[in-house]
Amino acid sequence: MTHIPVSVIVAAGGTPDDFHACLQSLRPTLGVRDEVVCVLPPDRPDLRAELRGETWLRVLEPAAGSGVAERWTAGVDATRHPVVVLVDGDVILSAHWLDPVLEPFHDPAVVATGPSCQHTFGPQQVQLPDEAMTSPAAFKTHARQWRQEHRDEFTDVDRLGPVCVAIRRDALAIAGGPTTDLPWDALAAQGRITIAHAALVAHVASPACGLRTDLADAPDAPLLSASLIVKDEADVLGPSLDAIRDLVDEIVVYDTGSTDDTVAIARAHGARVVEGFWNDHFGDARNRSLEHCRGRWVLWIDADEVFTGDRRTVREAVERADGRAFLALIENREGHEGGGGSSAIYYPRLFRRAQARLYGRLHEQVLDRITGQGFMGPHLPELVLDHSGYTRLRRVVKSKTERNLRLAQLAVDDVNGMTAVGNLARSQISSGHVEEAIATSRRGLAEAKERSHRVLFLKILADAYLALGRIPEAAGVIEDLRAIATNPATVGEHEVKLRFVEGDYERALEIIDELPESGVNDLLYGVGRDRFAGLRIDALSRLDRHTEAAFHLRETLRKGQVPVPVARMAQILGAAGGSLAEVAELLPRSGVRGLLFGIAEAPPEAADELLEALWRRYPGEPTVLTVAARVGRLVPLIRAMEWSARLRQHGFPERCTLLALSGDARRTPRERTLAAAIALEMFHDEAALPLLGEALAAVPDEQSAPVLEEMRILAPRVSDSIELADA
């Protein structure tokens, strides 16, 4: 195939051997009218030496201090063809790679194309087998087969990586010219961006790569920034910001369109707020937040997460660090009613800002901003984040289930990667589309080549079959998982659930005891006996071992964990001669937040009993009042009166439980009428007047007299006013 003439701009980089291999692989792929400019980085005489005698290209040496953007610009300015190809100088290019990369430019709507690339940020990235990377010759052999398998395959994407791309010169000019990461948003606004899958490039990822010279910190940069993206997080943002105020040097909050008090709360807590936008892409939003961070290191934290570790130890570890990331322990509260279990995952939430960016529409990952390789690092035990976002109440409040399912499907459409497919399957389970999750996981399992991806899909399948009660199929998947897992705990955590669903509670308890006290599974999720505290307690209770069940429940509460729902706690403690009031005494203050998130989902009587106990222990606590305001409309009238008085006394008249009850269609006309009358009688709140009128109108004629009689007792002045008006 004869391709259109192009201008190739090589950013020299890597080791001399890498650079030499790049030039040797590039030259045979050029057409007779192509031009090549090689832009040298400052202070690299070793690379200059590799260019002696290479008369087929021109050499540019920008001024010292020039960054990648300036070197790309110098190359573009020194060339003339309508399409420019930007190439990192430490890649190996396969034979005929330019032909498929340039083919899409026959369509004037295409503004940029890139090849498949080993080690690049973005959707171009592909994984190649180790044997293909042993030598340039091995790579070229693999590339020939790759080209045949992917001939005529093109995919539209919203961006490409920085390693190897072809761009229309005029579109790049309209976009403002080259930048370090290239202006993909501005290019995408002008036309299509595609991947030519048949073209293959291998990035040797040299530490001296020319594209890394811009990844240094500013000399006056602060140590640590916190980065958050938020939308309508007024109910949780304050405690999150309070917890990190003394840990970080600055807090950057990127708001994606809040309609509540989120922005005001962030500013009141000293955050620098960027009022941005939302494009259905978590990775993009986080990167926009990172652009406003100045710290050498960044802590990525969510509004529904609270830092519970040791501030001084974390800062000291960052100041001494030679690496580029630390793993945080993220404690996920799950289930419902503030309980129902928890999970944990170790994840790189603390990382060097200049070297990283976030990738992925959903469940985004921290990647090297050039090579696209995942960030890893040592676990920092003092870096712990308490995450409440996966409690059922938070999912409902934030509509997370539906949103995540939609974003997961979009992510699969963006790029057909195994991680994206896995995220889709998990989102399908959590949204109740379990059969679809099974089909997605089976598809992923058939296509997965890496062991970690096979482990992921088997684990999802096991959970899906257990959710449907399909025990034989779940058991078969668990055996498949046993054959490839390297950590027994990876299998053990599913066996516990299997035995519990089967009703073999004794065996479930035995397997829990066989698990390590703490550790991680094959996917870096936390596993250990504590993770199954709820199942242990539930199993003991179902075996009528009530004293043991209550003992373990009390011990778990003392650790600040809420392992089972509120209603279940009431049953377990009651069977052992206790009561829910114990929970307020046993649970340390650090655990109250997690309990309150789900209390509103408990049966009203149990929720009210526990809130009363919490109020006695923490009188005046605003978070208790906030939850009580939700519960108060559902409790008996006398209790609604008490919570209403407390809310008004502490400055929350707008959350009055009597007013909420009187406007709640689930309550009887009698209850609504009396609630509005009492609010008017006791608090002279005129907001009760229209509610009283509506409720009275709904009272059946045969109940009017008894309701008025009750009103004479509970709200005599209001009753007199009504009788005078009727007279």
Side-chain angles (χ1 to χ4, degrees):
M1 180 185 298
T2 302
H3 61 249
I4 60 175
V6 295
S7 301
V8 180
I9 302 161
V10 180
T15 66
D17 287 344
D18 293 333
F19 184 44
H20 179 79
C22 176
L23 296 179
Q24 292 301 304
S25 66
L26 171 63
R27 187 174 185 181
T29 68
L30 299 172
V32 294
R33 293 186 294 165
D34 296 339
E35 60 179 346
V36 180
V37 169
C38 184
V39 189
L40 284 172
D43 306 319
R44 290 298 303 272
D46 54 339
L47 299 184
R48 185 75 161 94
E50 293 296 324
L51 295 170
R52 293 194 190 103
E54 302 291 355
T55 57
W56 55 281
L57 52 76
R58 283 184 292 156
V59 179
L60 299 179
E61 296 188 63
S66 298
V68 170
E70 290 79 12
R71 295 201 293 281
W72 285 141
T73 300
V76 171
D77 291 345
T79 56
R80 59 188 174 86
H81 288 307
V83 174
V84 296
V85 180
L86 308 180
V87 180
D88 180 12
D90 68 343
V91 298
I92 300 174
L93 303 153
S94 60
H96 309 294
W97 70 284
L98 263 175
D99 294 337
V101 166
L102 298 177
E103 182 181 346
F105 287 103
H106 292 293
D107 179 352
V110 171
V111 297
T113 309
S116 300
C117 185
Q118 182 238 18
H119 290 171
T120 186
F121 178 86
Q124 290 168 274
Q125 188 180 82
V126 296
Q127 300 295 325
L128 299 183
D130 292 341
E131 57 269 20
M133 303 308 299
T134 56
S135 68
F139 167 70
K140 291 176 182 178
T141 299
H142 182 81
R144 282 195 296 271
Q145 180 181 350
W146 178 279
R147 187 169 63 250
Q148 293 299 320
E149 292 174 352
H150 297 278
R151 184 182 299 276
D152 298 325
E153 287 186 21
F154 299 92
T155 301
D156 283 6
V157 293
D158 61 349
R159 72 203 59 219
L160 297 168
V163 172
C164 184
V165 294
I167 308 174
R168 287 193 192 276
R169 182 186 298 271
D170 57 354
L172 186 57
I174 293 171
T179 58
T180 301
D181 295 327
L182 298 178
W184 294 117
D185 289 342
L187 288 167
Q190 299 179 61
R192 292 169 51 211
I193 299 172
T194 67
I195 299 174
H197 294 283
L200 188 61
V201 170
H203 190 161
V204 297
S206 166
C209 167
L211 298 183
R212 290 179 177 277
T213 57
D214 280 1
L215 304 188
D217 299 307
D220 60 344
L223 177 66
L224 182 55
S225 301
S227 171
L228 298 87
I229 62 170
V230 299
K231 182 178 181 181
D232 294 336
E233 303 283 7
D235 58 331
V236 293
L237 183 59
S240 179
L241 298 182
D242 284 339
I244 58 173
R245 182 183 294 116
D246 296 329
L247 170 65
V248 302
D249 301 297
E250 66 167 5
I251 301 173
V252 174
V253 170
Y254 183 89
D255 185 78
T256 61
S258 292
T259 57
D260 63 3
D261 293 332
T262 294
V263 169
I265 291 170
R267 288 182 173 140
H269 283 77
R272 187 165 76 255
V273 177
V274 180
E275 296 190 50
F277 63 95
W278 174 245
N279 63 338
D280 279 341
H281 201 298
F282 276 101
D284 284 357
R286 294 206 187 278
N287 288 327
R288 292 194 292 270
S289 177
L290 289 182
E291 289 172 3
H292 294 273
C293 294
R294 298 171 296 191
R296 303 194 298 277
W297 288 74
V298 167
L299 172 66
W300 152 22
I301 188 168
D302 287 334
D304 52 15
E305 293 174 339
V306 172
F307 168 69
T308 61
D310 182 77
R311 165 200 168 275
R312 179 177 300 177
T313 306
V314 171
R315 288 189 64 89
E316 289 175 353
V318 171
E319 287 171 347
R320 298 192 308 266
D322 294 325
R324 59 183 187 174
F326 287 102
L327 300 181
L329 172 60
I330 304 170
E331 295 270 8
N332 294 308
R333 298 183 184 274
E334 296 179 342
H336 55 285
E337 299 180 23
S342 64
S343 67
I345 185 172
Y346 296 86
Y347 203 78
R349 288 294 199 88
L350 184 59
F351 50 84
R352 291 191 185 272
R353 177 183 58 82
Q355 298 181 18
R357 75 177 98 188
L358 280 297
Y359 181 66
R361 194 179 283 273
L362 177 68
H363 301 310
E364 57 278 28
Q365 305 167 66
V366 186
L367 303 180
D368 185 289
R369 67 182 304 149
I370 303 298
T371 69
Q373 293 175 298
F375 266 31
M376 290 300 292
H379 171 220
L380 186 55
E382 295 79 9
L383 182 57
V384 182
L385 303 176
D386 180 4
H387 180 214
S388 61
Y390 287 135
T391 59
R392 194 171 71 186
L393 180 61
R394 284 293 292 165
R395 284 178 181 270
V396 171
V397 169
K398 298 292 291 179
S399 301
K400 279 191 172 184
T401 301
E402 296 79 8
R403 179 204 67 192
N404 284 1
L405 181 60
R406 177 171 53 83
L407 294 185
Q409 185 60 66
L410 288 172
V412 172
D413 295 339
D414 288 344
V415 54
N416 188 20
M418 289 296 98
T419 299
V421 176
N423 287 338
L424 175 59
R426 289 191 295 181
S427 296
Q428 287 168 331
I429 287 183
S430 62
S431 63
H433 297 83
V434 184
E435 291 287 0
E436 290 93 329
I438 291 172
T440 300
S441 298
R442 286 292 182 191
R443 178 187 122 206
L445 202 56
E447 297 175 3
K449 296 178 181 178
E450 295 185 25
R451 186 190 62 82
S452 62
H453 288 144
R454 291 185 60 78
V455 168
L456 169 65
F457 289 118
L458 286 171
K459 288 175 68 62
I460 296 171
L461 272 174
D463 283 337
Y465 285 132
L466 287 171
L468 294 174
R470 290 160 61 173
I471 294 175
E473 288 159 294
V477 170
I478 291 171
E479 290 308 308
D480 292 340
L481 181 61
R482 194 190 309 279
I484 65 169
T486 61
N487 186 335
T490 302
V491 183
E493 58 186 335
H494 290 284
E495 281 196 290
V496 171
K497 300 173 189 175
L498 174 66
R499 301 309 171 197
F500 191 89
V501 171
E502 288 178 326
D504 189 350
Y505 306 121
E506 292 285 5
R507 180 55 186 149
L509 291 170
E510 291 174 1
I511 298 171
I512 291 172
D513 288 334
E514 292 168 3
L515 290 171
E517 185 173 350
S518 64
V520 296
N521 64 18
D522 286 54
L523 301 180
L524 289 186
Y525 279 83
V527 294
R529 290 190 288 275
D530 281 352
R531 302 293 161 209
F532 291 95
L535 278 180
R536 180 195 292 276
I537 292 163
D538 210 348
L540 289 169
S541 175
R542 290 168 188 265
L543 291 168
D544 293 330
R545 293 160 63 175
H546 300 302
T547 301
E548 291 177 77
F551 171 81
H552 284 287
L553 174 57
R554 290 171 179 134
E555 289 299 300
T556 306
L557 289 168
R558 289 189 180 98
K559 295 177 183 177
Q561 301 171 21
V562 184
V564 294
V566 171
R568 193 76 177 103
M569 282 195 290
Q571 293 171 352
I572 291 166
L573 292 171
S579 72
L580 266 181
E582 292 181 62
V583 176
E585 296 301 320
L586 292 169
L587 195 69
R589 193 180 189 105
S590 61
V592 171
R593 174 178 171 271
L595 176 63
L596 288 173
F597 264 115
I599 266 186
E601 292 188 62
E605 297 79 6
D608 184 46
E609 179 184 351
L610 189 47
L611 283 167
E612 183 66 30
L614 287 169
W615 182 257
R616 291 196 195 102
R617 186 172 181 193
Y618 304 110
E621 174 59 46
T623 54
V624 174
L625 283 172
T626 298
V627 177
R630 295 188 194 135
V631 172
R633 70 178 65 193
L634 304 175
V635 299
L637 188 60
I638 191 67
R639 294 292 299 152
M641 289 170 56
E642 292 182 59
W643 285 119
S644 182
R646 291 166 178 169
L647 284 158
R648 290 174 179 276
Q649 179 186 353
H650 288 84
F652 301 104
E654 72 284 356
R655 298 183 180 180
C656 170
T657 50
L658 287 172
L659 293 181
L661 191 160
S662 62
D664 192 331
R666 291 171 294 182
R667 304 303 293 261
T668 65
R670 167 190 165 275
E671 292 170 322
R672 291 163 52 201
T673 298
L674 293 175
I678 293 168
L680 196 58
E681 177 89 14
M682 293 178 62
F683 308 117
H684 310 290
D685 193 334
E686 293 188 1
L689 274 172
L691 295 169
L692 177 59
E694 292 173 11
L696 272 171
V699 175
D701 292 342
E702 65 272 14
Q703 294 181 17
S704 295
V707 168
L708 284 172
E709 185 61 35
E710 285 186 274
M711 195 184 301
R712 289 190 190 99
I713 299 171
L714 297 172
R717 283 175 296 182
V718 174
S719 173
D720 290 345
S721 298
I722 292 173
E723 291 177 351
L724 282 172
D726 289 341

